[in-house]
Amino acid sequence: MTPRKLLFATSSIFFPDSSGGAERSLLRLFDGLRRRGWEVEVVCGRSLRSPHAWKAAAAALLRLRAPRLFARDEAGGLRAWRGLRRFRGRPAWTAWFDGFLDAYRPDAVLGYNNLTCPLLGRALDRGLPCFFVVRSLANLFAASRFIPDGVHLLANSPFAASVAAAATGRPAEVVLPLVDAAGYRVEGRQRRYVTFVNPTPEKGVAVALAVARALPETRFLFVKGRWGDRSYETVARGLPNVEVWDHRHDMRAVYAVTDVLLVPSQWLETFGRVVVEAQQSGIPVVAADVGGLPFTVGEGGLLVRPKGDPAAYVEALRRLRADQALYAELSARALANSRRPEFDPEAQADAFVAIVERALAAGASPRPAGGLVPGRAAEERPRPPRDERLPGPARAAQR
């Protein structure tokens, strides 16, 4: 195996400023690559709320200097260069990034979140093989007029791959989120709470609150996420059966007291990493029957439709918690589901390596000058999905 240099480049913020499932999966991927002899570095934005930003600024002031455009740290165990969060292709950023590319000379560049990221565009302009992880369908369709012709599309689930193919007219290869069982599995679990992670509108906080109101005898645990600069208001005011915890880096404390995981997502969830995390401890899941969640949940839980009906979740929770034979069966199936061969993080790291190697062996894709260029005309592309209605292959994949 040839050791490679990978650059992860995004104008968005990254771990630890943002610590959702995508960031955790990428960190696990980078760790697997480094154990395979690869070098990995990160160029990303910085949150002004981050303690790292204030430390860098304070250090510069102590040296009687202006804070640098980019500051280096090793938070998360890998070298990261963080700059001002929103730069929109400003010349100072471009000049710095071009110099960085000349010095680091990566074999491949990986991006996520934003297909029109100026950093990804600069890498394309330099003729570097570029890869993009499709995980947010809203972002994919927002950039549907400007799909980079030279970017190799990766997807975090078969569902996301089918939607990406329908939107772009070209295939996307699948690399599933990487979840290490040891980091989430707990023994001697206490069945105290119905747990809901990341109480945001997209994840279904309104539905979860309505379910908690309808089940006053049931204890709920809401766990805040760290989704970029997203602020979390008091989501459970006036509900004595709902306990709210701050973001947990180590989720084992959460799963150790979880009876059922509630996943009432109201957007087209492409994978739902939290499902596999919980199922590592035999926790059954009650989830919306939407997007890629049926693939991820497998037989380890109950799927709810319609996704926005609190009564349907109430019925599923009552049925699961009242029938101990059903609970035991779904708990066993949840654990078995989490051990599916395709959920092995080492297998997914190998899959990523194989995809990159094939692309490098095939040579760089031809691209016109200018980086991000219009692909097919906008009228030839599928419109963004409204609710759960998706074009062709994506609709079939959702069933």
Side-chain angles (χ1 to χ4, degrees), residues 79-115:
R79 181 177 296 177
W81 300 86
R82 304 178 198 271
L84 300 174
R85 185 184 176 195
R86 299 187 185 279
F87 63 97
R88 304 186 187 281
R90 291 172 184 158
W93 275 67
T94 300
W96 183 94
F97 189 60
D98 284 348
F100 177 86
L101 292 176
D102 288 338
Y104 185 53
R105 302 181 66 184
D107 295 295
V109 178
L110 177 67
Y112 88 142
N113 267 354
N114 181 10
L115 269 166

Side-chain angles (χ1 to χ4, degrees), residues 294-383:
F295 168 82
T296 310
V297 173
E299 296 185 350
L302 301 175
L303 296 172
V304 173
R305 181 179 289 270
K307 63 181 172 61
D309 181 11
Y313 295 93
V314 170
E315 179 183 356
L317 285 170
R318 281 178 171 161
R319 176 187 169 202
L320 179 57
R321 302 188 82 213
D323 187 338
Q324 292 306 304
L326 175 63
Y327 185 95
E329 177 183 352
L330 290 183
S331 176
R333 290 184 176 182
L335 183 59
N337 187 68
S338 73
R339 295 174 176 174
R340 284 159 54 182
E342 61 266 42
F343 289 165
D344 178 3
E346 293 303 312
Q348 293 306 314
D350 286 340
F352 179 86
V353 169
I355 290 168
V356 173
E357 292 295 344
R358 284 197 299 270
L360 295 179
S365 300
R367 66 182 66 81
L372 305 185
V373 297
R376 289 185 292 156
E379 59 269 16
E380 298 176 11
R381 296 183 181 280
R383 292 182 178 273

Side-chain angles (χ1 to χ4, degrees), residues 6 95 134 168 170 172 178 192 233 259 262 286 295 322 381 391 399:
L6 177 72
V134 175
T168 66
R170 46 198 170 100
L178 287 74
R192 292 170 55 188
E233 59 186 42
D259 184 29
L262 179 64
V286 171
F295 168 82
R381 296 183 181 280
R399 296 194 183 104

Side-chain angles (χ1 to χ4, degrees), residues 11 120 127 160 200 210 219 223 230 265 283 291 300 362:
S11 56
L120 196 63
T200 64
R219 299 173 68 186
V223 183
R230 180 71 63 92
S265 290
I283 298 171

